[in-house]
Amino acid sequence: TGEKGIGFKSIFAVTDKVEIFSNGFCFCFDSKCPTRLGEVAPQWIDIPMDKFFSFFMKGTTMRFDFKFQVNYDDILSCFVSE
């Protein structure tokens, strides 16, 4: 658990938009579309049902594009222990 979303908001250091597919819900946070006083509010995502079910069946999925070029093997090694 965090306080005021500070931990989650740090994702905007590497991406402008994060899409979340979880528990039957599809929404995104887009830092380029802030609401009042720079607050980033969730926006519903309208996606085809076949795509929705492929995400839904995997539990919670977060999708985003990096702002810069990354080495995906380096990132994966942070999450996978041998």
Side-chain angles (χ1 to χ4, degrees):
T1 61
E3 184 173 330
K4 298 181 179 75
I6 293 169
F8 183 78
K9 290 177 186 173
S10 65
I11 199 165
F12 294 117
V14 296
T15 188
D16 290 320
K17 181 179 178 181
V18 59
E19 297 176 343
I20 300 170
F21 305 88
S22 181
N23 222 11
F25 296 98
C26 305
F27 58 97
C28 72
F29 292 96
D30 189 344
S31 65
K32 290 185 176 182
C33 298
T35 58
R36 58 184 181 194
L37 298 175
E39 180 181 89
V40 179
Q43 301 170 9
W44 293 112
I45 298 174
D46 197 17
I47 63 171
M49 289 307 282
D50 59 332
K51 241 186 188 182
F52 170 78
F53 283 112
S54 69
F55 285 117
F56 178 72
M57 298 306 286
K58 297 177 185 175
T60 299
T61 300
M62 295 173 57
R63 186 174 71 177
F64 55 90
D65 294 320
F66 288 101
K67 291 180 180 180
F68 44 84
Q69 184 149 0
V70 297
N71 182 323
Y72 292 101
D73 290 332
D74 290 344
I75 293 171
L76 184 60
S77 70
C78 294
F79 296 101
V80 178
S81 60
E82 295 181 14

